[in-house]
Amino acid sequence: VLELHTVTPKANYSQTDVTEFARALTGWTIDKQYLRKTKNNGKAYFNKTWHEPGMRTILGKTYFPLGQGLAPIIIRDLCHHPATALNVATKLARHFCNDTPPSTLVTRLTKDFIKTGGNLTSLYIILIDSPEPWQAHSQKVKTPYELLTSTARMMGDDSVFSVRHHDVYEGFGQAPFKAPTPEGWPDDGGSWIGSDAILKRVEWANNIAFRHAANTDARDFLHHALGPRLTPSTLKIVEGAESRQQALALALMCPEFQRR
Amino acid sequence: MLNISRRSALGLLGAVSLGQIATPVFAQGQENRKFIFILLRGGMDGLSALIPDSTDITSARDKILPSIDTRLNLGNGFRLHPSFKGLKTLYDNGHVSFIHACSTSYRARSHFEAQDAIEILGNGGSRKGWLNRALTALNSEGLAIARGVPLAMQGPQKVKNWSPPLFNAASDDLLDRLTTLYAQDVELMTSLAIARKTTAFDMPRDRRSARRFTYEYPIPLEAIGQQMAIEGGPGVGMVALDGWDTHSNQVNKLNRKFFELDKGLTTLKQKLGHHWKQTCIVVCSEFGRTVSMNGTRGTDHGTGGLVMVLGGAVAGGKMKGEWPGLKPSALYEGRDLAPVNDVTSVLKGILRDHLGIDRRTLDQSIFPNSARAFDGLIRS
C-alpha cells in the first residue's frame, strides 16, 4: 500500500511506519470461502479478535486506538498525502503522454489532486484540456493488449487470435494474469519492445499479413487506422513493398501503428 | 593462495561496482566464468531424481520408484533415476554435486509464491530478482532463454532474452525494410538491431522448434549454451523449464522429463565447448514433493528439494550439505523431506567463489539478511 499504491518511497517512510501500519491493519481479512455462499461472500471484513489494539504513529502522525475505524482513517490520510498526489499525477501523465512525462503537466495534476482532495474526474478534465497529451506524433509504444485490441478493431477479432491468445500474449511478454510483481504490468513503452518482443511482433504481423492480405489493402489499413498521423515516408515504404502481404506486415509494424 | 588474493582484490572492486563504474568487476581469471541458473517450475520431485537407499522411501512410495537394480548407483547411499545417464557420467568425472533437502525460507505450498521466493531471495528487501542484483554487482549483461524476462532476472540491470518464434520467422528482406521504416524511430530501430544480432547465431527459427521449445528441453538448453559460448557472450544466463508438477501418474512423466533434462544438460555441456571448465550450473525447483505417494500415483507439493550443481568449475562427485533422512519423525510437518539446507546459502557460496562477488555486496545488496555462504562447491 505504501510503496506502490499511495505515497511511494518518495515519502521517505521507515520500516517502523511499515510495521505500525501493518499492526493497524490487523483484523482486516477477506472471506476466503467466497466460492460458497456465506455472509461476507468474498468481501473484506474486520475480525476484532485478530486486531492488535494500541496507539499507532505513521508518517509522523499519531492515531488513537479506534479498532475497526483505524485503518480507513490511516488510508484516507495516506491518500491525501502530497506524495500520493505526485504518484497519481505521474502515473496519469505517463499513461497519456509518454514514458518520461512532462513535468509541467505532472505539476498541474499534482496541484489539482491536492486542491480537490483527489477528485479523479477533475484530473481527467485537466488531462483533456492540456496540450501535452495531444502531441501530433504518437509517443508511447503500445502494450501487447493495446496492439492486439487495436488490430482486432481494424481487422476483426478472429484475425488477431488465430493461435491461442495466451501464446501470443506470452510471446509479447504479457501473459494474462501473470504480472510479475504486485506493481502490475509496467506502463512505459520501453518495457514492451525489448529485442525478443519486437521480433515476436514482426513474426506475428507477418503471419496476420499472410492470412489477410487478400482482403485487406495495406493503404486502406493505414488510412483508416492512422488518419492524419500517417507520415508520407511510412506510406512510401509500405507502397514500395514487394507484395501485398509484405505491405500489410510493414503497415502493422510501422512506428505510427506500434505507438499510440 | 590464489583464492585469498582474488578475494581481497574483489573487496575493492565490489565497492566501486555500487557506484556504477563501467568496468566489470570480474577479477583476473574470472572474466570468462559462466554461471547458468536453471529453474524447474512446478516442483521437481527430487526424491525420484536422486533416490536414497532407504527402506523408509521404499515403504512410502514403492509403486512409483524405478526398481533398485535399474537405478544408477553413486555408491554413497544414493542412486540416480535411470534416465540420468549423462548426469551419472558427469558425476563420475567429478563435475556434479547434489544437495538434497534444500529449500528457500518459503514454507507454504503455492507454486507462484514459492517461485517468486526463489527468484527474489530478497528477504523482504526487494521485489526484483536476485540474478539482476548479481548482474548489477558484476556490471554484466545477462541472458534469459524465455518468453519475457523471468522475475529472477528483472531489475535495473539490462538483460537480453530470446525465445523461439511463435510463427515462422520473418524474412531478412522484411527486416531490412523495417529497418528503413524505423529510420526516424530510434527506440524501435535499436531494439530491432539488437534482435537481429541475437538471432544471427544459428538459432532455430521455425515454428516446429517453438513446439519443441515447449515440450522438449534440448532447445532452450542448447540455445543458452550456444549464446554463452560465443566470443564476448554473456557470463550469466537463466533458463526456466515448465512442467514438473506431477500430482498423478508421475512415473511415465518423470521418465520422460528426466530424460529430456539429462539430454538437455549434456547438449548444453557440448555447446559450451571449452567454456565448460569455467562453468557452474545450478538446477533447482521452487520446492520438493511429498515423501509419500498420493492416491493417484503422484506426489503433492512438499518442502525440501534437490539442488544440482554442475560444471567443469564445480568441486563435484559428492553429496553436499546435510541429509535429514526419511524416518517419520524427521519429516517436515510429518510429510516432507525436511528443508535442512538453504538455497540462498548455496547460491551465495557460488556467487562468491565462482563469480568472485565480495562478501559485503553479497550480504548487503544481493542476499540481505541471509545465512552464511555454503563453502566448497567450486574447485579452488
Side-chain angles (χ1 to χ4, degrees):
Chain A
V1 173
L2 292 171
E3 184 188 359
L4 301 174
H5 305 300
T6 57
V7 294
T8 76
K10 283 197 173 133
N12 285 322
Y13 57 81
S14 66
Q15 188 58 31
T16 317
D17 291 319
V18 173
T19 49
E20 282 283 276
F21 185 36
R23 287 196 178 94
L25 284 173
T26 51
W28 282 97
T29 184
I30 51 162
D31 183 3
K32 290 188 193 121
Q33 305 300 314
Y34 58 89
L35 289 176
R36 302 169 204 165
K37 291 226 172 351
T38 55
K39 190 180 70 178
N40 289 304
N41 200 17
K43 290 188 195 118
Y45 71 97
F46 186 74
N47 180 339
K48 70 168 185 253
T49 55
W50 293 353
H51 182 64
E52 183 174 334
M55 306 270 283
R56 299 281 158 244
T57 303
I58 296 158
L59 290 170
K61 186 167 170 183
T62 303
Y63 296 88
F64 290 104
L66 294 173
Q68 178 165 11
L70 178 60
I73 288 177
I74 297 171
I75 289 172
R76 198 195 61 200
D77 285 349
L78 289 172
C79 290
H80 286 93
H81 196 283
T84 303
L86 178 64
N87 183 22
V88 174
T90 311
K91 280 183 185 222
L92 281 173
R94 190 192 298 124
H95 187 78
F96 288 100
C97 286
N98 58 36
D99 296 348
T100 42
S103 57
T104 47
L105 179 62
V106 175
T107 310
R108 236 176 299 143
L109 291 168
T110 307
K111 280 186 182 151
D112 190 70
F113 188 102
I114 293 168
K115 194 180 89 194
T116 64
N119 183 338
L120 293 177
T121 311
S122 172
L123 293 171
Y124 302 151
I125 291 168
I126 292 187
L127 269 175
I128 293 168
D129 288 340
S130 296
E132 291 92 339
W134 299 102
Q135 297 295 312
H137 79 279
S138 315
Q139 305 183 56
K140 274 181 89 90
V141 173
K142 287 176 184 171
T143 65
Y145 173 78
E146 288 162 347
L147 177 65
L148 293 172
T149 308
S150 56
T151 308
R153 276 194 188 138
M154 291 302 300
M155 300 199 180
D157 53 0
D158 53 339
S159 68
V160 183
F161 299 117
S162 69
V163 291
R164 286 166 43 209
H165 298 207
H166 183 274
D167 286 355
V168 175
Y169 274 112
E170 194 187 38
F172 287 176
Q174 197 179 21
F177 308 114
K178 279 196 182 168
T181 66
E183 201 172 356
W185 295 110
D187 194 32
D188 61 315
S191 296
W192 298 115
I193 204 72
S195 54
D196 192 57
I198 196 170
L199 214 56
K200 290 290 185 295
R201 288 188 182 201
V202 179
E203 287 151 7
W204 162 86
N206 204 23
N207 179 278
I208 298 228
F210 260 108
R211 290 181 294 115
H212 289 266
N215 325 322
T216 311
D217 183 87
R219 281 160 302 187
D220 291 347
F221 172 87
L222 286 174
H223 288 300
H224 284 132
L226 303 173
R229 293 195 294 123
L230 175 62
T231 59
S233 65
T234 291
L235 184 61
K236 193 166 157 238
I237 291 169
V238 170
E239 283 177 330
E242 64 172 11
S243 61
R244 293 175 65 84
Q245 173 269 321
Q246 192 185 55
L248 191 56
L250 287 167
L252 284 161
M253 286 309 296
C254 76
E256 298 96 309
F257 193 68
Q258 288 295 315
R259 291 176 179 274
R260 62 159 177 84
Chain B
M1 189 61 190
L2 173 72
N3 224 5
I4 292 164
S5 62
R6 188 180 82 208
R7 289 205 194 129
S8 49
L10 280 159
L12 288 168
L13 287 160
V16 293
S17 74
L18 297 169
Q20 298 204 328
I21 288 177
T23 42
V25 296
F26 288 106
Q28 204 169 21
Q30 284 178 320
E31 57 279 349
N32 294 320
R33 294 285 174 103
K34 303 285 181 196
F35 173 68
I36 304 171
F37 179 61
I38 300 174
L39 179 58
L40 308 179
R41 291 189 199 276
M44 186 264 281
D45 185 27
L47 288 170
S48 282
L50 184 60
I51 309 160
D53 297 337
S54 151
T55 50
D56 294 305
I57 194 156
T58 321
S59 57
R61 47 158 80 189
D62 190 37
K63 290 196 176 73
I64 54 170
L65 289 179
S67 73
I68 190 153
D69 51 305
T70 62
R71 298 177 205 163
L72 311 171
N73 194 353
L74 302 186
N76 54 11
F78 291 88
R79 288 164 207 246
L80 275 171
H81 187 281
S83 292
F84 282 124
K85 298 206 165 51
L87 202 60
K88 170 70 163 57
T89 308
L90 288 174
Y91 181 87
D92 291 341
N93 294 335
H95 289 184
V96 189
S97 284
F98 294 105
I99 302 151
H100 233 316
C102 201
S103 170
T104 62
S105 55
Y106 179 78
R107 288 290 173 273
R109 297 168 197 275
S110 148
H111 289 297
F112 307 127
E113 288 170 13
Q115 285 169 31
D116 287 356
I118 205 168
E119 294 189 75
I120 293 171
L121 293 179
N123 275 330
S126 172
R127 289 171 299 105
K128 302 282 182 171
W130 64 269
L131 258 174
N132 198 283
R133 298 196 295 277
L135 288 167
T136 305
L138 294 163
N139 194 15
S140 142
E141 191 188 55
L143 172 72
I145 302 292
R147 296 200 173 133
V149 176
L151 182 55
M153 276 217 165
Q154 286 179 17
Q157 190 74 0
K158 205 165 163 47
V159 169
K160 271 203 305 205
N161 74 308
W162 179 88
S163 65
L166 281 177
F167 308 101
N168 285 338
S171 69
D172 283 334
D173 180 55
L174 177 61
L175 295 174
D176 286 342
R177 286 170 195 257
L178 277 172
T179 308
T180 319
L181 190 57
Y182 293 160
Q184 304 298 322
D185 192 319
V186 179
E187 191 179 21
L188 295 182
M189 187 156 69
T190 312
S191 188
L192 185 64
I194 296 173
R196 294 191 76 178
K197 238 169 85 191
T198 309
T199 47
F201 306 110
D202 188 28
M203 289 293 204
R205 287 180 69 186
D206 62 86
R207 193 164 168 210
R208 209 174 323 138
S209 308
R211 298 210 68 80
R212 281 176 64 206
F213 181 74
T214 315
Y215 299 112
E216 290 175 34
Y217 285 163
I219 286 289
L221 292 176
E222 185 180 341
I224 201 152
Q226 220 161 40
Q227 284 278 321
M228 291 186 70
I230 58 165
E231 195 59 36
V236 176
M238 172 169 177
V239 178
L241 303 169
D242 293 344
W244 295 93
D245 196 17
T246 50
H247 286 287
S248 61
N249 300 317
Q250 71 173 38
V251 174
N252 290 338
K253 281 178 204 159
L254 286 181
N255 283 347
R256 197 188 74 233
K257 299 219 67 103
F258 287 156
F259 174 76
E260 290 166 359
L261 179 60
D262 189 71
K263 195 167 156 214
L265 291 170
T266 316
T267 314
L268 171 56
K269 173 177 185 289
Q270 185 198 329
K271 292 290 166 189
L272 282 169
H274 71 275
H275 294 285
W276 173 257
K277 62 179 188 293
Q278 307 254 59
T279 296
C280 173
I281 301 166
V282 172
V283 183
C284 64
S285 194
E286 70 265 29
F287 45 51
R289 306 191 75 82
T290 48
V291 173
S292 293
M293 181 182 90
N294 64 19
T296 50
R297 295 194 177 226
T299 46
D300 299 323
H301 303 178
T303 310
L306 174 67
V307 174
M308 310 180 189
V309 183
L310 63 153
V314 170
K318 291 186 198 72
M319 291 295 295
K320 296 277 169 89
E322 308 279 309
W323 170 248
L326 293 169
K327 295 252 172 292
S329 60
L331 300 185
Y332 179 75
E333 294 187 345
R335 48 178 266 170
D336 300 340
L337 180 57
V340 294
N341 300 301
D342 176 27
V343 169
T344 311
S345 294
V346 169
L347 295 167
K348 198 171 169 182
I350 290 168
L351 294 191
R352 183 192 65 192
D353 298 340
H354 185 59
L355 296 181
I357 299 179
D358 69 285
R359 198 166 298 198
R360 222 185 93 215
T361 309
L362 284 168
D363 285 339
Q364 292 178 2
S365 324
I366 302 180
F367 300 124
N369 312 317
S370 58
R372 58 182 293 275
F374 202 101
D375 291 319
L377 289 169
I378 300 298
R379 220 179 272 284
S380 53

